[in-house]
Amino acid sequence: MTKNLIKEIKNIKSKIDNLYQSKDLYIPALLYELGGICLFYFYYGKTFNDSKSLDKGNILVDHILEGIKTNIKYNNYRFSTGVSGLGWLLKFLHKEEFIDFEVEDALSDLDEYIYKYAIEEINRGNYDFLHGAIGALYYFTEGAHTTNEYIENITSKVTLGNEITIYNKPYWPSFNVSESKRHDDILNFGLSHGQPAIVSVLSKIYELNSSNELKILLSDATYAMLDFKFKTKRNSLFPTMTSATEDIEQNMSKGSRLGWCYGDLGMGVSLWDVGKAIQNEDFKKIALDCINFSAPKRDLNLNSIKDAGVCHGSSGVMYIFNKFSYLNKEVDYSETVEYWKNVTIEMIHSEQEKYTTGHSAWHNERGYYNDFGFLQGLSGIGLSLLSLIDPDIKWGDVLLM
């Protein structure tokens, strides 16, 4: 297994090397080429003791600094595509000891701008992780050993922004970024855009400053999601979204997809984080229920797996099962990990004469396309495969995994 796996990873590196010649054209964002390829080079270099890859990662750090300036010019402070994401990445690379300059000093002038962005997004009801206030809050937590004024003020505003479900529990209404519209009665179950991400980030703040008030909110907001677990057999234990003002049995969907972004796997990751932070074993048990319920699934169409990307494709599924194979020693996920690894490899080799990155990325309107980025492209897939060799590498922190 390892020999063939290394061959596949080296093949991915070869394709990324070819694109490296055009590094000035990388989209300057954490979740696109710049962030994904930078992380891939650093972790590839660390795993295989390859100094040339480490050097390329360091060169891309200079591009990250320039990318921050570009995003400031366009007033883009999002975690996904803007300043807070690239700033988070620099802090993360410093923590991982890939870079050694004083990152906090380099970023100190950005803090006020990111803070103001977070408050503005809260004021319009946008608590989205990838594209809103929660991603900005996550920026402040990276590398922190305690809370600061920015974290405390944003957290305070977040805690005041929730509504109450039909079961008298707190929730943050879903926000559609493309429409720039809040949907007041919708509870969103996506780790990418919904309440699982909010409680995951708040649990990290609780670990920095264990206030009883925040612990109560974390518990109640997590139970708010558990209240809407399906009571009848569906394709998942939890919905993608549901009305927070109606009983869950009014939700007639077949259930959610399989993936990091939406579905039981993301719920499992979030529930585990919160359970660990506030020492709630019930949450951790339900997290494992989510993972175990998903483990036998193999039907790609039924589970909406069309590509190999991290976000909603096979490599993200593989990574989460591999992660829980170390967290839960009572269940053997090795066959499940192997299955999703093989699906991933098959996909990145599909139609290579037409797409350099194979079936790494899928778009509902234009179909397959080339993507070298982190979230939906080849660099993220490469990182997922690297984790099979070294499960201790922490690139999953980018997506709360």
Side-chain angles (χ1 to χ4, degrees):
M1 169 187 169
T2 303
K3 185 177 179 181
N4 289 336
L5 179 59
I6 291 173
K7 179 182 176 183
E8 294 296 339
I9 294 170
K10 289 184 180 294
N11 181 51
I12 289 173
K13 178 184 173 291
S14 177
K15 293 181 179 182
I16 289 175
D17 282 342
N18 290 336
L19 188 72
Y20 182 77
Q21 310 307 318
S22 305
K23 56 185 174 293
D24 291 336
L25 301 178
Y26 291 171
I27 296 174
L30 170 59
L31 300 188
Y32 285 81
E33 292 101 340
L34 183 54
I37 292 174
C38 181
L39 280 165
F40 177 81
Y41 273 134
F42 274 127
Y43 279 121
Y44 183 95
K46 179 181 180 181
T47 302
F48 296 111
N49 195 27
D50 179 15
S51 61
K52 289 184 179 179
S53 291
L54 293 171
D55 288 343
K56 288 179 178 178
N58 274 297
I59 289 169
L60 291 178
V61 169
D62 292 333
H63 288 252
I64 290 171
L65 292 167
E66 288 302 312
I68 287 173
K69 294 177 184 176
T70 300
N71 281 303
I72 289 173
K73 185 168 69 173
Y74 290 104
N75 200 34
N76 180 2
Y77 292 92
R78 290 179 175 183
F79 186 76
S80 56
T81 61
V83 174
S84 62
L86 291 177
W88 182 95
L89 178 57
L90 289 178
K91 292 183 181 185
F92 178 77
L93 293 175
H94 184 266
K95 183 179 72 177
E96 288 287 274
E97 300 182 348
F98 288 127
I99 56 178
D100 58 8
F101 64 87
E102 291 302 319
V103 170
E104 291 293 342
D105 292 342
L107 297 177
S108 59
D109 292 341
L110 299 179
D111 288 355
E112 188 66 25
Y113 292 103
I114 295 173
Y115 170 72
K116 287 180 179 177
Y117 163 76
I119 299 302
E120 288 171 1
E121 294 306 301
I122 289 171
N123 288 341
R124 69 191 194 108
N126 179 10
Y127 297 93
D128 195 289
F129 169 56
L130 295 185
H131 312 308
I134 296 301
L137 178 56
Y138 191 45
Y139 158 83
F140 286 107
T141 67
E142 180 54 35
H145 301 292
T146 185
T147 56
N148 59 26
E149 187 176 357
Y150 292 124
I151 293 174
E152 290 167 4
N153 287 348
I154 296 170
T155 302
S156 177
K157 289 277 286 184
V158 169
T159 60
L160 294 173
N162 59 70
E163 304 291 342
I164 301 299
T165 71
I166 189 176
Y167 304 114
N168 202 33
K169 301 284 195 331
Y171 79 101
W172 291 268
S174 182
F175 188 90
N176 187 309
V177 175
S178 60
E179 297 176 355
S180 194
K181 180 181 178 183
R182 187 174 102 151
H183 295 269
D184 288 342
D185 67 335
I186 299 299
L187 175 54
N188 186 317
F189 285 79
L191 188 54
S192 51
H193 306 295
Q195 188 139 324
I198 298 173
V199 297
S200 283
V201 173
L202 290 179
S203 71
K204 297 181 190 311
I205 292 162
Y206 178 79
E207 289 175 331
L208 297 174
N209 184 2
S210 305
S211 77
N212 192 54
E213 182 181 0
L214 183 55
K215 182 177 183 179
I216 292 170
L217 176 64
L218 274 168
S219 179
D220 288 347
T222 303
Y223 276 119
M225 296 187 291
L226 301 185
D227 285 339
F228 290 95
K229 181 181 178 184
F230 286 127
K231 295 170 184 167
T232 55
K233 187 175 181 180
R234 311 285 178 98
N235 193 47
S236 61
L237 299 179
F238 292 93
T240 299
M241 299 183 192
T242 198
S243 170
T245 59
E246 296 179 347
D247 185 88
I248 185 59
E249 290 311 298
Q250 299 299 311
N251 184 316
M252 301 308 293
S253 76
K254 295 179 181 178
S256 192
R257 67 178 307 142
L258 198 63
W260 165 79
C261 52
Y262 283 96
D264 290 340
L265 294 181
M267 274 293 294
V269 170
S270 175
L271 288 167
W272 186 273
D273 280 352
V274 179
K276 182 180 173 218
I278 67 173
Q279 298 181 320
N280 186 312
E281 292 302 315
D282 287 341
F283 292 167
K284 292 170 72 174
K285 180 182 179 300
I286 300 170
L288 295 180
D289 289 343
C290 290
I291 304 302
N292 295 338
F293 181 84
S294 303
K297 294 184 176 184
R298 297 291 183 269
D299 189 316
L300 302 187
N301 290 326
L302 182 62
N303 294 291
S304 303
I305 303 285
K306 292 181 178 293
D307 59 57
V310 171
C311 181
H312 45 256
S314 59
S315 69
V317 174
M318 177 195 73
Y319 176 83
I320 293 173
F321 282 119
N322 192 51
K323 174 188 175 78
F324 274 90
S325 69
Y326 292 90
L327 294 175
N328 180 24
K329 298 294 187 181
E330 295 181 5
V331 178
D332 181 4
Y333 299 112
S334 59
E335 190 275 331
T336 301
V337 173
E338 180 73 7
Y339 172 80
W340 290 109
K341 182 203 76 172
N342 291 335
V343 169
T344 298
I345 290 171
E346 182 179 340
M347 283 187 167
I348 62 176
H349 284 288
S350 296
E351 291 192 280
Q352 287 187 98
E353 70 285 351
K354 188 174 181 181
Y355 308 106
T356 304
T357 62
H359 288 181
S360 292
W362 165 269
H363 188 277
N364 283 336
E365 294 177 3
R366 65 178 189 266
Y368 291 107
Y369 63 97
N370 283 318
D371 195 320
F372 285 87
F374 176 93
L375 189 63
Q376 298 181 155
L378 197 62
S379 59
I381 295 164
L383 287 163
S384 299
L385 293 173
L386 277 171
S387 292
L388 298 182
I389 294 175
D390 182 3
D392 291 328
I393 61 176
K394 297 181 173 59
W395 66 266
D397 288 8
V398 176
L399 297 177
L400 304 171
M401 293 193 291

